[in-house]
Amino acid sequence: MSLAETAASVSGAFDSIPVIDLGCASTHEERAALARQIRDACMNVGFFYIKNHGIPEETIDKIFSAMKAFFSLPVEEKMKLHHRQGAHYRGFEPLLDSNIDPANRGDLYEGFMIGWEELVPQDDDEDKVNRDTMVFPNLWPSEPAGFREAFINYYHAAFGVGKVLRRLFALGLDLPETYFDDKLKRYPMMRGLHYPPQTGPEDDGIIGIGAHSDFECFTILWQEPGIQALQILNSENKWINATPIPGTLVINVGDLLSRWTSEQHI
């Protein structure tokens, strides 16, 4: 189905989220077929899972363990790395530090934010800082051991997935495969999130995070298996569960990509 035909058939009344296998993408023909699947998912749902994404399980396990250990530290220890300690929104975000939906009283999550950084300093690091206004020093805790390494290794692995996806997005839009390469030059941000259990009344105005759309091009999300949290609103105002599927990542279209495609990607 062509791009125009797909756009004409969009309803947005989905009740499930497609799973797309990135394992077969060695030839241009295979990538073109994957791109069509991704395009259909973006236009009809705005979300999709990917499997065989290439991030080693060991890399995921290490960052998950590091996050659990860090978020288990006393609040006063974590607050030493509060993002306001620096000028560029890096570091720890405490509970109720934000409120994305004005109708609520706050977002009940803790976060830790980082930007680009090499595990071992490279000769061209200064050039990257000069080229990208989003490259700033990260804040790192002294404990748990291995926290920095776990975050940076996952960051670079996820960044590699993002480079694969942006080329598939381009193909799905009937553009050259490298179309976005010179348009997505800034290094992305990465946030590790902890949502504590909630036991209060459902109408108390404090939830994990309020209903929202992401502002960037697209988001790559790993979910802890066995815990249902993320939901997606369809065109019939029904919330559809994005149930964690082991071995997958969730991809969702952000406001920027939606704008670039004249709202064809939702």
Side-chain angles (χ1 to χ4, degrees), residues 19-56:
V19 180
I20 297 174
D21 187 351
L22 295 188
C24 296
S26 58
T27 68
H28 179 79
E29 290 73 20
E30 289 174 340
R31 291 193 296 277
L34 277 175
R36 289 191 292 272
Q37 294 179 52
I38 288 173
R39 179 186 68 199
D40 291 351
C42 290
M43 297 177 76
N44 286 285
V45 182
F47 282 73
F48 55 95
Y49 299 93
I50 55 172
K51 63 180 182 178
N52 292 318
H53 45 71
I55 300 181

mmCIF file of all heavy atoms in Angstrom, residues 19-56:
data_model
loop_
_atom_site.group_PDB
_atom_site.id
_atom_site.type_symbol
_atom_site.label_atom_id
_atom_site.label_comp_id
_atom_site.label_asym_id
_atom_site.label_seq_id
_atom_site.Cartn_x
_atom_site.Cartn_y
_atom_site.Cartn_z
ATOM 1 N N VAL A 19 3.805 -5.563 16.777
ATOM 2 C CA VAL A 19 5.168 -5.966 17.107
ATOM 3 C C VAL A 19 5.925 -6.124 15.800
ATOM 4 O O VAL A 19 5.504 -6.880 14.918
ATOM 5 C CB VAL A 19 5.200 -7.287 17.896
ATOM 6 C CG1 VAL A 19 6.642 -7.684 18.221
ATOM 7 C CG2 VAL A 19 4.374 -7.172 19.170
ATOM 8 N N ILE A 20 7.041 -5.419 15.661
ATOM 9 C CA ILE A 20 7.810 -5.413 14.415
ATOM 10 C C ILE A 20 9.196 -5.991 14.678
ATOM 11 O O ILE A 20 9.873 -5.600 15.632
ATOM 12 C CB ILE A 20 7.910 -3.984 13.841
ATOM 13 C CG1 ILE A 20 6.499 -3.486 13.480
ATOM 14 C CG2 ILE A 20 8.825 -3.950 12.622
ATOM 15 C CD1 ILE A 20 6.447 -2.041 13.026
ATOM 16 N N ASP A 21 9.586 -6.942 13.843
ATOM 17 C CA ASP A 21 10.851 -7.654 13.995
ATOM 18 C C ASP A 21 11.932 -6.957 13.172
ATOM 19 O O ASP A 21 11.855 -6.923 11.941
ATOM 20 C CB ASP A 21 10.671 -9.114 13.537
ATOM 21 C CG ASP A 21 11.885 -9.976 13.811
ATOM 22 O OD1 ASP A 21 12.944 -9.443 14.208
ATOM 23 O OD2 ASP A 21 11.776 -11.208 13.628
ATOM 24 N N LEU A 22 12.938 -6.406 13.868
ATOM 25 C CA LEU A 22 14.031 -5.733 13.171
ATOM 26 C C LEU A 22 15.138 -6.694 12.747
ATOM 27 O O LEU A 22 16.146 -6.266 12.189
ATOM 28 C CB LEU A 22 14.651 -4.650 14.061
ATOM 29 C CG LEU A 22 13.779 -3.458 14.449
ATOM 30 C CD1 LEU A 22 14.631 -2.413 15.156
ATOM 31 C CD2 LEU A 22 13.076 -2.850 13.250
ATOM 32 N N GLY A 23 14.935 -7.980 12.984
ATOM 33 C CA GLY A 23 15.987 -8.953 12.718
ATOM 34 C C GLY A 23 16.308 -9.149 11.252
ATOM 35 O O GLY A 23 17.402 -9.613 10.923
ATOM 36 N N CYS A 24 15.374 -8.844 10.372
ATOM 37 C CA CYS A 24 15.603 -9.025 8.936
ATOM 38 C C CYS A 24 15.699 -7.657 8.270
ATOM 39 O O CYS A 24 14.697 -7.111 7.801
ATOM 40 C CB CYS A 24 14.470 -9.844 8.310
ATOM 41 S SG CYS A 24 14.359 -11.530 8.929
ATOM 42 N N ALA A 25 16.900 -7.097 8.260
ATOM 43 C CA ALA A 25 17.085 -5.760 7.679
ATOM 44 C C ALA A 25 18.438 -5.638 7.006
ATOM 45 O O ALA A 25 19.025 -4.563 6.967
ATOM 46 C CB ALA A 25 16.938 -4.698 8.764
ATOM 47 N N SER A 26 18.916 -6.748 6.456
ATOM 48 C CA SER A 26 20.259 -6.735 5.868
ATOM 49 C C SER A 26 20.276 -6.198 4.440
ATOM 50 O O SER A 26 21.300 -5.701 3.975
ATOM 51 C CB SER A 26 20.862 -8.143 5.904
ATOM 52 O OG SER A 26 20.029 -9.058 5.207
ATOM 53 N N THR A 27 19.154 -6.305 3.736
ATOM 54 C CA THR A 27 19.097 -5.816 2.355
ATOM 55 C C THR A 27 18.152 -4.617 2.271
ATOM 56 O O THR A 27 17.314 -4.393 3.149
ATOM 57 C CB THR A 27 18.604 -6.903 1.393
ATOM 58 O OG1 THR A 27 17.213 -7.187 1.675
ATOM 59 C CG2 THR A 27 19.425 -8.182 1.548
ATOM 60 N N HIS A 28 18.271 -3.864 1.179
ATOM 61 C CA HIS A 28 17.385 -2.709 0.992
ATOM 62 C C HIS A 28 15.935 -3.164 0.901
ATOM 63 O O HIS A 28 15.037 -2.498 1.439
ATOM 64 C CB HIS A 28 17.774 -1.951 -0.272
ATOM 65 C CG HIS A 28 16.884 -0.771 -0.541
ATOM 66 N ND1 HIS A 28 17.029 0.431 0.117
ATOM 67 C CD2 HIS A 28 15.813 -0.627 -1.381
ATOM 68 C CE1 HIS A 28 16.094 1.273 -0.305
ATOM 69 N NE2 HIS A 28 15.362 0.665 -1.216
ATOM 70 N N GLU A 29 15.685 -4.286 0.254
ATOM 71 C CA GLU A 29 14.313 -4.781 0.105
ATOM 72 C C GLU A 29 13.717 -5.133 1.465
ATOM 73 O O GLU A 29 12.538 -4.845 1.729
ATOM 74 C CB GLU A 29 14.297 -6.005 -0.819
ATOM 75 C CG GLU A 29 14.583 -5.700 -2.287
ATOM 76 C CD GLU A 29 16.049 -5.371 -2.549
ATOM 77 O OE1 GLU A 29 16.907 -5.740 -1.707
ATOM 78 O OE2 GLU A 29 16.334 -4.743 -3.586
ATOM 79 N N GLU A 30 14.526 -5.769 2.324
ATOM 80 C CA GLU A 30 14.030 -6.111 3.661
ATOM 81 C C GLU A 30 13.762 -4.853 4.474
ATOM 82 O O GLU A 30 12.742 -4.770 5.191
ATOM 83 C CB GLU A 30 15.046 -7.001 4.373
ATOM 84 C CG GLU A 30 15.148 -8.414 3.808
ATOM 85 C CD GLU A 30 16.269 -9.214 4.437
ATOM 86 O OE1 GLU A 30 17.204 -8.618 5.013
ATOM 87 O OE2 GLU A 30 16.207 -10.458 4.370
ATOM 88 N N ARG A 31 14.639 -3.873 4.361
ATOM 89 C CA ARG A 31 14.428 -2.628 5.098
ATOM 90 C C ARG A 31 13.205 -1.879 4.577
ATOM 91 O O ARG A 31 12.454 -1.269 5.354
ATOM 92 C CB ARG A 31 15.675 -1.750 5.014
ATOM 93 C CG ARG A 31 16.868 -2.307 5.795
ATOM 94 C CD ARG A 31 17.981 -1.292 5.954
ATOM 95 N NE ARG A 31 18.583 -0.908 4.689
ATOM 96 C CZ ARG A 31 19.545 -1.592 4.065
ATOM 97 N NH1 ARG A 31 20.003 -2.718 4.591
ATOM 98 N NH2 ARG A 31 20.066 -1.157 2.924
ATOM 99 N N ALA A 32 12.972 -1.937 3.281
ATOM 100 C CA ALA A 32 11.789 -1.280 2.709
ATOM 101 C C ALA A 32 10.517 -1.931 3.230
ATOM 102 O O ALA A 32 9.526 -1.245 3.531
ATOM 103 C CB ALA A 32 11.840 -1.333 1.189
ATOM 104 N N ALA A 33 10.525 -3.266 3.349
ATOM 105 C CA ALA A 33 9.355 -3.977 3.882
ATOM 106 C C ALA A 33 9.132 -3.613 5.349
ATOM 107 O O ALA A 33 7.989 -3.384 5.784
ATOM 108 C CB ALA A 33 9.539 -5.481 3.723
ATOM 109 N N LEU A 34 10.221 -3.545 6.127
ATOM 110 C CA LEU A 34 10.100 -3.126 7.519
ATOM 111 C C LEU A 34 9.579 -1.704 7.616
ATOM 112 O O LEU A 34 8.736 -1.380 8.473
ATOM 113 C CB LEU A 34 11.466 -3.206 8.210
ATOM 114 C CG LEU A 34 11.927 -4.548 8.750
ATOM 115 C CD1 LEU A 34 13.346 -4.437 9.289
ATOM 116 C CD2 LEU A 34 10.988 -5.042 9.836
ATOM 117 N N ALA A 35 10.064 -0.839 6.738
ATOM 118 C CA ALA A 35 9.654 0.566 6.756
ATOM 119 C C ALA A 35 8.157 0.700 6.522
ATOM 120 O O ALA A 35 7.500 1.554 7.132
ATOM 121 C CB ALA A 35 10.431 1.349 5.703
ATOM 122 N N ARG A 36 7.606 -0.130 5.655
ATOM 123 C CA ARG A 36 6.158 -0.074 5.415
ATOM 124 C C ARG A 36 5.380 -0.499 6.663
ATOM 125 O O ARG A 36 4.336 0.093 6.991
ATOM 126 C CB ARG A 36 5.792 -0.942 4.212
ATOM 127 C CG ARG A 36 6.249 -0.367 2.871
ATOM 128 C CD ARG A 36 5.653 -1.114 1.701
ATOM 129 N NE ARG A 36 6.157 -2.481 1.578
ATOM 130 C CZ ARG A 36 7.258 -2.825 0.901
ATOM 131 N NH1 ARG A 36 7.981 -1.887 0.302
ATOM 132 N NH2 ARG A 36 7.629 -4.084 0.818
ATOM 133 N N GLN A 37 5.879 -1.512 7.364
ATOM 134 C CA GLN A 37 5.226 -1.924 8.609
ATOM 135 C C GLN A 37 5.271 -0.792 9.642
ATOM 136 O O GLN A 37 4.275 -0.522 10.327
ATOM 137 C CB GLN A 37 5.915 -3.158 9.187
ATOM 138 C CG GLN A 37 5.803 -4.418 8.370
ATOM 139 C CD GLN A 37 6.537 -5.578 9.031
ATOM 140 O OE1 GLN A 37 6.318 -5.875 10.209
ATOM 141 N NE2 GLN A 37 7.425 -6.225 8.294
ATOM 142 N N ILE A 38 6.436 -0.155 9.748
ATOM 143 C CA ILE A 38 6.587 0.925 10.715
ATOM 144 C C ILE A 38 5.703 2.110 10.333
ATOM 145 O O ILE A 38 5.055 2.724 11.194
ATOM 146 C CB ILE A 38 8.071 1.341 10.802
ATOM 147 C CG1 ILE A 38 8.862 0.241 11.525
ATOM 148 C CG2 ILE A 38 8.238 2.688 11.505
ATOM 149 C CD1 ILE A 38 10.351 0.459 11.537
ATOM 150 N N ARG A 39 5.652 2.428 9.044
ATOM 151 C CA ARG A 39 4.801 3.528 8.589
ATOM 152 C C ARG A 39 3.343 3.262 8.946
ATOM 153 O O ARG A 39 2.641 4.146 9.459
ATOM 154 C CB ARG A 39 4.937 3.703 7.077
ATOM 155 C CG ARG A 39 4.058 4.814 6.498
ATOM 156 C CD ARG A 39 4.139 4.811 4.986
ATOM 157 N NE ARG A 39 3.521 3.622 4.404
ATOM 158 C CZ ARG A 39 3.756 3.188 3.163
ATOM 159 N NH1 ARG A 39 4.613 3.822 2.389
ATOM 160 N NH2 ARG A 39 3.140 2.113 2.713
ATOM 161 N N ASP A 40 2.876 2.052 8.704
ATOM 162 C CA ASP A 40 1.484 1.719 9.018
ATOM 163 C C ASP A 40 1.225 1.851 10.518
ATOM 164 O O ASP A 40 0.176 2.365 10.934
ATOM 165 C CB ASP A 40 1.155 0.305 8.545
ATOM 166 C CG ASP A 40 1.125 0.186 7.030
ATOM 167 O OD1 ASP A 40 1.180 1.229 6.347
ATOM 168 O OD2 ASP A 40 1.052 -0.952 6.524
ATOM 169 N N ALA A 41 2.186 1.391 11.327
ATOM 170 C CA ALA A 41 2.026 1.495 12.780
ATOM 171 C C ALA A 41 2.008 2.955 13.223
ATOM 172 O O ALA A 41 1.205 3.345 14.077
ATOM 173 C CB ALA A 41 3.160 0.749 13.477
ATOM 174 N N CYS A 42 2.869 3.772 12.644
ATOM 175 C CA CYS A 42 2.930 5.188 13.012
ATOM 176 C C CYS A 42 1.651 5.925 12.632
ATOM 177 O O CYS A 42 1.205 6.828 13.357
ATOM 178 C CB CYS A 42 4.124 5.852 12.340
ATOM 179 S SG CYS A 42 5.722 5.341 12.984
ATOM 180 N N MET A 43 1.068 5.567 11.514
ATOM 181 C CA MET A 43 -0.100 6.287 11.028
ATOM 182 C C MET A 43 -1.388 5.815 11.689
ATOM 183 O O MET A 43 -2.342 6.591 11.814
ATOM 184 C CB MET A 43 -0.198 6.145 9.509
ATOM 185 C CG MET A 43 0.993 6.779 8.782
ATOM 186 S SD MET A 43 0.975 6.581 6.995
ATOM 187 C CE MET A 43 -0.252 7.796 6.534
ATOM 188 N N ASN A 44 -1.413 4.571 12.125
ATOM 189 C CA ASN A 44 -2.640 4.023 12.718
ATOM 190 C C ASN A 44 -2.624 4.004 14.239
ATOM 191 O O ASN A 44 -3.688 4.073 14.863
ATOM 192 C CB ASN A 44 -2.878 2.602 12.209
ATOM 193 C CG ASN A 44 -3.359 2.561 10.773
ATOM 194 O OD1 ASN A 44 -4.516 2.870 10.482
ATOM 195 N ND2 ASN A 44 -2.466 2.205 9.861
ATOM 196 N N VAL A 45 -1.448 3.890 14.839
ATOM 197 C CA VAL A 45 -1.351 3.737 16.285
ATOM 198 C C VAL A 45 -0.474 4.823 16.908
ATOM 199 O O VAL A 45 -0.810 5.383 17.947
ATOM 200 C CB VAL A 45 -0.793 2.334 16.653
ATOM 201 C CG1 VAL A 45 -0.746 2.153 18.171
ATOM 202 C CG2 VAL A 45 -1.632 1.236 16.006
ATOM 203 N N GLY A 46 0.666 5.089 16.298
ATOM 204 C CA GLY A 46 1.620 6.018 16.878
ATOM 205 C C GLY A 46 2.617 5.341 17.804
ATOM 206 O O GLY A 46 3.545 5.983 18.307
ATOM 207 N N PHE A 47 2.416 4.059 18.035
ATOM 208 C CA PHE A 47 3.295 3.243 18.876
ATOM 209 C C PHE A 47 3.518 1.901 18.193
ATOM 210 O O PHE A 47 2.665 1.423 17.437
ATOM 211 C CB PHE A 47 2.662 2.961 20.240
ATOM 212 C CG PHE A 47 2.721 4.078 21.235
ATOM 213 C CD1 PHE A 47 1.922 5.202 21.085
ATOM 214 C CD2 PHE A 47 3.560 4.000 22.340
ATOM 215 C CE1 PHE A 47 1.962 6.232 22.015
ATOM 216 C CE2 PHE A 47 3.602 5.021 23.271
ATOM 217 C CZ PHE A 47 2.800 6.134 23.109
ATOM 218 N N PHE A 48 4.652 1.275 18.498
ATOM 219 C CA PHE A 48 4.865 -0.116 18.103
ATOM 220 C C PHE A 48 5.982 -0.698 18.957
ATOM 221 O O PHE A 48 6.798 0.029 19.528
ATOM 222 C CB PHE A 48 5.202 -0.240 16.610
ATOM 223 C CG PHE A 48 6.375 0.576 16.130
ATOM 224 C CD1 PHE A 48 7.652 0.036 16.037
ATOM 225 C CD2 PHE A 48 6.190 1.907 15.741
ATOM 226 C CE1 PHE A 48 8.714 0.780 15.581
ATOM 227 C CE2 PHE A 48 7.259 2.663 15.278
ATOM 228 C CZ PHE A 48 8.530 2.106 15.202
ATOM 229 N N TYR A 49 5.963 -2.020 19.086
ATOM 230 C CA TYR A 49 7.056 -2.732 19.734
ATOM 231 C C TYR A 49 8.079 -3.114 18.665
ATOM 232 O O TYR A 49 7.727 -3.344 17.506
ATOM 233 C CB TYR A 49 6.572 -4.029 20.378
ATOM 234 C CG TYR A 49 5.539 -3.934 21.468
ATOM 235 C CD1 TYR A 49 4.176 -4.023 21.178
ATOM 236 C CD2 TYR A 49 5.924 -3.827 22.805
ATOM 237 C CE1 TYR A 49 3.225 -3.995 22.186
ATOM 238 C CE2 TYR A 49 4.977 -3.797 23.823
ATOM 239 C CZ TYR A 49 3.632 -3.875 23.511
ATOM 240 O OH TYR A 49 2.690 -3.843 24.509
ATOM 241 N N ILE A 50 9.348 -3.220 19.076
ATOM 242 C CA ILE A 50 10.348 -3.815 18.197
ATOM 243 C C ILE A 50 11.031 -4.963 18.948
ATOM 244 O O ILE A 50 11.310 -4.861 20.145
ATOM 245 C CB ILE A 50 11.413 -2.801 17.710
ATOM 246 C CG1 ILE A 50 12.102 -2.084 18.875
ATOM 247 C CG2 ILE A 50 10.787 -1.788 16.762
ATOM 248 C CD1 ILE A 50 13.286 -1.219 18.451
ATOM 249 N N LYS A 51 11.267 -6.043 18.241
ATOM 250 C CA LYS A 51 12.038 -7.162 18.792
ATOM 251 C C LYS A 51 13.268 -7.378 17.916
ATOM 252 O O LYS A 51 13.356 -6.841 16.810
ATOM 253 C CB LYS A 51 11.199 -8.431 18.875
ATOM 254 C CG LYS A 51 10.716 -8.985 17.547
ATOM 255 C CD LYS A 51 9.882 -10.249 17.778
ATOM 256 C CE LYS A 51 9.413 -10.865 16.469
ATOM 257 N NZ LYS A 51 8.642 -12.113 16.682
ATOM 258 N N ASN A 52 14.217 -8.147 18.431
ATOM 259 C CA ASN A 52 15.512 -8.308 17.755
ATOM 260 C C ASN A 52 16.123 -6.943 17.462
ATOM 261 O O ASN A 52 16.612 -6.680 16.363
ATOM 262 C CB ASN A 52 15.360 -9.134 16.476
ATOM 263 C CG ASN A 52 15.007 -10.581 16.767
ATOM 264 O OD1 ASN A 52 15.562 -11.187 17.683
ATOM 265 N ND2 ASN A 52 14.063 -11.133 16.011
ATOM 266 N N HIS A 53 16.103 -6.097 18.479
ATOM 267 C CA HIS A 53 16.559 -4.711 18.332
ATOM 268 C C HIS A 53 18.072 -4.571 18.467
ATOM 269 O O HIS A 53 18.621 -3.520 18.112
ATOM 270 C CB HIS A 53 15.878 -3.824 19.368
ATOM 271 C CG HIS A 53 15.851 -4.420 20.744
ATOM 272 N ND1 HIS A 53 16.975 -4.545 21.530
ATOM 273 C CD2 HIS A 53 14.811 -4.942 21.463
ATOM 274 C CE1 HIS A 53 16.641 -5.110 22.685
ATOM 275 N NE2 HIS A 53 15.339 -5.361 22.671
ATOM 276 N N GLY A 54 18.733 -5.580 19.000
ATOM 277 C CA GLY A 54 20.185 -5.550 19.033
ATOM 278 C C GLY A 54 20.817 -5.112 20.340
ATOM 279 O O GLY A 54 22.044 -5.168 20.482
ATOM 280 N N ILE A 55 20.041 -4.665 21.327
ATOM 281 C CA ILE A 55 20.615 -4.306 22.620
ATOM 282 C C ILE A 55 20.775 -5.589 23.439
ATOM 283 O O ILE A 55 19.785 -6.278 23.706
ATOM 284 C CB ILE A 55 19.744 -3.303 23.383
ATOM 285 C CG1 ILE A 55 19.576 -2.018 22.568
ATOM 286 C CG2 ILE A 55 20.358 -2.984 24.747
ATOM 287 C CD1 ILE A 55 18.743 -0.951 23.259
ATOM 288 N N PRO A 56 21.989 -5.936 23.843
ATOM 289 C CA PRO A 56 22.199 -7.187 24.589
ATOM 290 C C PRO A 56 21.424 -7.202 25.909
ATOM 291 O O PRO A 56 21.293 -6.169 26.582
ATOM 292 C CB PRO A 56 23.709 -7.208 24.840
ATOM 293 C CG PRO A 56 24.288 -6.297 23.802
ATOM 294 C CD PRO A 56 23.253 -5.222 23.588
#
